[in-house]
Amino acid sequence: MMSTVIGGAMLPHAPQFFTMPETEDKANVEHVRAVAAEIGRKLRALQPDLWIIFSNDHAEQFFHNAAPPFTVHVGGEATGEFAGRKFRWKIPSEIGFELVRELYRQNFDPAFTSTAKIDYAIGIPLTHLGHTGPVLPIYINAYLPPQPTMERCYGFGQAVARSVTAMGLKTVVLASGGMSHFPGTNRYANPELAWDRRLLETLAAGNLKSMIGFDEAELDETGNIELRCWACAAGALGERKPDVVSMDPSWHHNYASLAWIGAPPGERAAHYPSIRPELVELTSALHGLAHDPDKRARYIADAPAYADEFKLPPEQRQALIKLDMAAMVNMGTHPLVPFLARLQIERLRPQR
């Protein structure tokens, strides 16, 4: 099924963006804001029907009482406050309820809430993007063990993409969080920048699924537990190269921003394609040469007569008579079949 997820972004949300202590590099913060603002302009130009943001909760509301792995906001609006700033976004409630139903049908069991607040993990990236329209928050348990695995997060994102596609909604997916940081620990001043750079290189190449290989211990050791939100967005986006990759580390966080603005890539021409209906006869003729001694004998005795045993268009007939492998592969023939056929025929033909 062609996905209706038309774009997305992965953005940082460090509280320092709004508190701005003296220790913060003001130029660095301004660059992060500018990158996000440009991403926001480009994503709005796509005119999506739905904006989804995957975000962790900072042990504020999904902690002591319940810690579901995934929670969809289905209220009419979501509000919050941080560092003197008030947040308020409309929530597409009916879409949220339908998304929950669709996910249940796909064997995911997300919780849902009508009253969850918005903290800076959602408020900062949406503010930086300049997004003021409705948004559907989905909260991911990133901080309180046991957390969902990266593979489960990626699969959840895939299920979200299938759901919005079934609903016919052009969708932008956002992920808030990351990269490496260690708030509240003695490693706070030492983000794992080398690890982050390696991952960003992989994501820049379009290999988003690579994130499912990180286990709980590695995420914790590298300060990247919030990448669970990224994995959800990655699953929804699929394998595609980002149009924006910006790494802007501070002394305590690695601020990294990625965005997918352009159309998803078309289907790659595979080295070994499926058998096209119009090439079935040619494939049968070649398969006989590769695996049937009697057919090979008939071909060597009279190649045109052998070709006439099959209903072939002129160009396919000529390619078979000449065993023109390049021509047959260019037509879309599975290359292993003419390769094996020619190998067998050349072995039996007398040396000249």
Side-chain angles (χ1 to χ4, degrees):
M1 182 184 294
M2 185 68 69
S3 174
T4 60
V5 175
I6 56 175
M10 300 172 178
L11 300 169
H13 65 227
Q16 285 84 350
F17 288 135
F18 280 179
T19 61
M20 288 300 289
E22 288 302 316
T23 55
E24 203 67 19
D25 184 332
K26 307 302 189 294
N28 193 34
V29 169
E30 186 53 41
H31 180 256
V32 173
R33 288 173 175 166
V35 169
E38 181 63 17
I39 291 170
R41 284 191 289 271
K42 291 180 177 179
L43 289 176
R44 283 190 293 277
L46 298 177
Q47 298 183 317
D49 304 313
L50 174 66
W51 293 66
I52 291 175
I53 183 166
F54 298 103
S55 173
N56 62 277
D57 173 69
H58 288 101
E60 180 178 352
Q61 47 201 343
F62 302 109
F63 192 68
H64 281 305
N65 293 331
F70 312 110
T71 304
V72 180
H73 206 307
V74 296
E77 68 175 17
T79 62
E81 184 176 355
F82 178 75
R85 296 180 183 239
K86 295 185 182 298
F87 306 132
R88 180 177 179 178
W89 273 274
K90 291 290 185 183
I91 306 295
S93 179
E94 290 305 314
I95 291 175
F97 275 116
E98 186 57 30
L99 179 61
V100 171
R101 295 186 188 100
E102 287 284 346
L103 291 169
Y104 285 173
R105 295 181 188 114
Q106 297 186 52
N107 297 319
F108 279 91
D109 303 305
F112 57 92
T113 176
S114 298
T115 60
K117 299 296 183 181
I118 285 181
D119 76 352
Y120 63 84
I122 292 177
I124 286 176
L126 292 183
T127 298
H128 284 179
L129 289 169
H131 180 68
T132 57
V135 64
L136 183 63
I138 301 180
Y139 301 89
I140 314 300
N141 175 28
Y143 271 94
L144 184 62
Q147 304 104 314
T149 65
M150 290 290 274
E151 185 173 13
R152 188 64 171 166
C153 291
Y154 187 90
F156 182 76
Q158 289 180 309
V160 168
R162 290 192 296 268
S163 298
V164 297
T165 299
M167 295 159 69
L169 298 171
K170 290 195 304 179
T171 302
V172 159
V173 293
L174 310 172
S176 174
M179 293 179 87
S180 64
H181 58 299
F182 301 88
T185 77
N186 60 3
R187 294 186 61 186
Y188 189 54
N190 295 286
E192 288 281 347
L193 300 184
W195 191 96
D196 292 350
R197 287 191 182 95
R198 289 193 296 271
L199 176 57
L200 281 178
E201 288 175 2
T202 301
L203 299 181
N207 186 5
L208 278 61
K209 195 174 183 179
S210 64
M211 283 195 287
I212 71 173
F214 302 132
D215 62 16
E216 180 179 350
E218 185 169 8
L219 294 177
D220 183 75
E221 179 62 27
T222 62
N224 274 299
I225 59 176
E226 291 179 354
L227 289 188
R228 290 177 173 87
C229 302
W230 285 30
C232 291
L237 286 161
E239 299 294 86
R240 61 174 93 171
K241 292 182 180 181
D243 301 286
V244 177
V245 179
S246 183
M247 181 173 171
D248 305 287
S250 75
W251 65 269
H252 53 84
H253 280 64
N254 179 13
Y255 305 145
S257 306
L258 298 93
W260 290 258
I261 310 296
E267 186 176 345
R268 182 182 64 84
H271 287 103
Y272 299 104
S274 301
I275 299 173
R276 296 181 183 177
E278 67 272 19
L279 294 171
V280 169
E281 283 285 296
L282 177 59
T283 302
S284 297
L286 292 166
H287 192 272
L289 299 183
H291 302 289
D292 189 322
D294 292 336
K295 291 182 178 179
R296 286 197 289 269
R298 295 205 302 273
Y299 179 89
I300 291 173
D302 191 340
Y306 177 79
D308 289 338
E309 295 177 20
F310 302 88
K311 297 177 181 178
L312 298 174
E315 63 174 351
Q316 293 184 25
R317 181 179 182 274
Q318 284 301 112
L320 177 60
I321 292 170
K322 296 178 180 179
L323 273 186
D324 187 339
M325 185 168 173
M328 289 185 282
V329 171
N330 287 336
M331 294 173 190
T333 306
H334 192 293
L336 185 60
V337 186
F339 173 81
L340 293 175
R342 191 168 68 176
L343 202 66
Q344 292 283 28
I345 295 301
E346 288 178 347
R347 177 180 67 86
L348 296 173
R349 276 178 172 160
Q351 296 296 318
R352 297 176 182 174

